[in-house]
Amino acid sequence: MATDVEDPQRRDFLIIAGNAFAAVGAASLIWPFVQQMNPDAGAKALASIEVDLSPIKVGQAITVMWRGKPVFIRHRTQEEIDAAKKVPLTDLPDEAARNDNIAADAAATDENRTLPGHENWLVMVGICTHLGCIPKGQSLSDTKGDFGGWFCPCHGSHYDTAGRIRKGPAPRNLEVPTYDFVSDTKIKIG
């Protein structure tokens, strides 16, 4: 009668080594699929932009592109600021500030539509909240609507000098994106 005894430690080593080899192989196959789901460098670059405000004179406005959307930046006059501050909240169809820099339930006062200490600068996403048109009002020759701000000619929405809806079918104020002043003459959006 022959008694061949197998070495149990050798079997354990072979099982562990085989499983480790399979795990490394599976990870090397899965890694490219996971990596391709990350955003590319171009998408990361669009996540935020810096805008130099120094060439914009009082009363002028510019449009920049951010994440494929137009962003309106207006250097408001004191008259525009005063007109926006005089509007009672009860006259506004949308009483929410729609400002990503503050609490979502903040009232749509002129102060809540800008950043403290920079009330003369108004930064908003320039897309009408009705059907996604781009309102007129950025150019000095554009029709600014009944309230001196922006006018969407597609369906007749009128926005005031703080970007708040005042008249027409648009249900909400123009959105204020997340932005901050990097210096006195430069902002970072996003």
Side-chain angles (χ1 to χ4, degrees), residues 98-133:
R98 309 280 175 202
N99 185 340
D100 291 343
N101 298 295
I102 59 175
D105 61 346
T109 61
D110 184 65
E111 293 81 11
N112 286 342
R113 301 278 298 157
T114 59
L115 292 183
H118 300 282
E119 290 80 11
N120 55 323
W121 292 103
L122 183 62
V123 180
M124 308 172 302
V125 175
I127 297 177
C128 180
T129 58
H130 179 232
L131 291 176
C133 306

